[in-house]
Amino acid sequence: MFAGLAANTNVQFVLAKRTPTGAATTGIVRKQTKVSSWSTNDAVKSSKRGGDDAWDATKYLNLWVCNLGQGLLGYAQFPGGSPATDGVVVLYSSLPGGTAKPYDKGRTATHEVGHWLNLRHIWGDASCGNDLVSDTPTQQTANYGCPAFPHVTCNNQGDMSMNYMDYTDDACMYMFSTGQASRMNALFAAGGARAGLVTSQGGVAPRMAATLGTTTDVAMYPNPANNVLNLTLPATKADKGWTVTVYDLRGREMKQATYNGQGQVQVAQLPKGLYQMTVSDGQQTLRQRFEKQ
Ligand code: ARG
Ligand code: ZN
Ligand code: CA
């Protein structure tokens, strides 16, 4: 019945590639702590209290993943609150592959980001309450589990219990409505509470010192090369190691491969000529030129 109201919100997030101070980042801060269980007191958002400080909330969505206690799956801050505590907190085991069945498919994060983007619970946190969205039917209270449709309350034609802003099982919630999408997107318009996210450079990698031709970071021999080009690459913390990509002088990609430490690039089948090679670990990109003989 609600298929026509299921909306593409057009809201997408990427992991940050630069920190608020301009350093390169994977977008993930792993912090060891002596605190074994957290509550809604926002301690997890504070380095002084064993958590980790928020990043500039006008440019980033802060998402703290931790061991919440008291059966709490997650909580969020609505727009307009203190920047120091802005963002979303979720129970680590609620993420996909986690153990918080039946809340183990990451829908808690979806639900909390809904709050962070100004959405209320679909029942309006009152009996037949108002969620300030007109296309979500008024419903009496929260639904749990996986309700059969229609579950009629408050003279509606059935609760929209499959909405992310209800309390149903993760497997049984799968839509935001058109009205909810508009309410969320209003925050990104000029003057909106989350407008800064749209122009944030947080998802853009900082420019790294690119070294051309003369670098000692990437050792390469022989050059010119006939069959095999040997590489010695610096240590990297990236778990996939280095990605080596070879381009011809017109910028066409010729080869790609990943390496850790020592690597050999097979160049036998490349046509004679000059090539450019980039070596990247996702954090920094090094460039080298070589000749195929
Ligand atoms: N109780 C939390 C809240 O109101 C999280 C609810 C998440 N529900 C779920 N089915 N994953 O924000
Ligand atoms: Zn909620
Ligand atoms: Ca409504």
Side-chain angles (χ1 to χ4, degrees), residues 224-275:
N226 257 314
N227 296 305
V228 175
L229 188 65
N230 297 283
L231 303 178
T232 308
L233 301 172
T236 173
K237 288 189 213 75
D239 37 26
K240 271 187 284 177
W242 294 98
T243 299
V244 177
T245 314
V246 174
Y247 300 91
D248 70 10
L249 289 187
R250 293 159 73 182
R252 288 180 300 200
E253 190 181 307
M254 306 300 285
K255 283 178 134 325
Q256 197 175 56
T258 53
Y259 296 105
N260 246 318
Q262 297 281 335
Q264 294 192 318
V265 185
Q266 305 298 324
V267 295
Q269 74 290 17
L270 292 178
K272 286 186 181 42
L274 287 169
Y275 292 87

Side-chain angles (χ1 to χ4, degrees), residues 14 29 36 91 116 148 153 155 220 260:
V14 293
V29 177
S36 57
L91 175 66
W116 183 77
T153 64
N155 298 313
M220 183 172 78
N260 246 318

Side-chain angles (χ1 to χ4, degrees), residues 50-262:
D52 200 63
D53 289 342
W55 288 5
D56 182 353
T58 66
K59 299 192 173 74
Y60 300 88
L61 162 59
N62 291 298
L63 173 56
W64 290 271
V65 179
C66 64
N67 187 29
L68 285 170
Q70 296 135 353
L72 209 62
L73 289 168
Y75 71 100
Q77 185 168 300
F78 282 94
S82 162
T85 50
D86 192 72
V88 160
V89 185
V90 296
L91 175 66
Y92 72 95
S93 52
S94 75
L95 295 178
T99 53
K101 272 185 181 17
Y103 308 113
D104 58 347
K105 297 185 189 301
R107 298 312 189 204
T108 299
T110 312
H111 175 110
E112 301 310 336
V113 172
H115 286 314
W116 183 77
L117 292 176
N118 213 22
L119 296 187
R120 312 285 180 94
H121 289 139
I122 195 159
W123 66 98
D125 292 309
S127 182
C128 301
N130 187 356
D131 67 350
L132 308 179
V133 174
S134 56
D135 64 3
T136 55
T138 301
Q139 72 181 47
Q140 189 174 19
T141 187
N143 288 291
Y144 292 89
C146 200
F149 190 84
H151 177 235
V152 175
T153 64
C154 312
N155 298 313
N156 66 19
Q157 304 214 73
D159 296 355
M160 195 187 274
S161 63
M162 63 299 288
N163 192 281
Y164 293 123
M165 300 317 289
D166 207 327
Y167 270 179
T168 39
D169 291 352
D170 278 15
C172 300
M173 46 168 61
Y174 39 80
M175 68 177 284
F176 286 121
S177 73
T178 303
Q180 287 174 319
S182 312
R183 187 171 167 84
M184 290 191 272
N185 274 281
L187 302 169
F188 299 115
R194 304 271 184 221
L197 273 286
V198 179
T199 52
S200 171
Q201 295 300 292
V204 181
R207 256 239 158 318
M208 299 304 281
T211 39
L212 264 163
T214 53
T215 180
T216 50
D217 292 342
V218 183
M220 183 172 78
Y221 63 94
N223 187 15
N226 257 314
N227 296 305
V228 175
L229 188 65
N230 297 283
L231 303 178
T232 308
L233 301 172
T236 173
K237 288 189 213 75
D239 37 26
K240 271 187 284 177
W242 294 98
T243 299
V244 177
T245 314
V246 174
Y247 300 91
D248 70 10
L249 289 187
R250 293 159 73 182
R252 288 180 300 200
E253 190 181 307
M254 306 300 285
K255 283 178 134 325
Q256 197 175 56
T258 53
Y259 296 105
N260 246 318
Q262 297 281 335

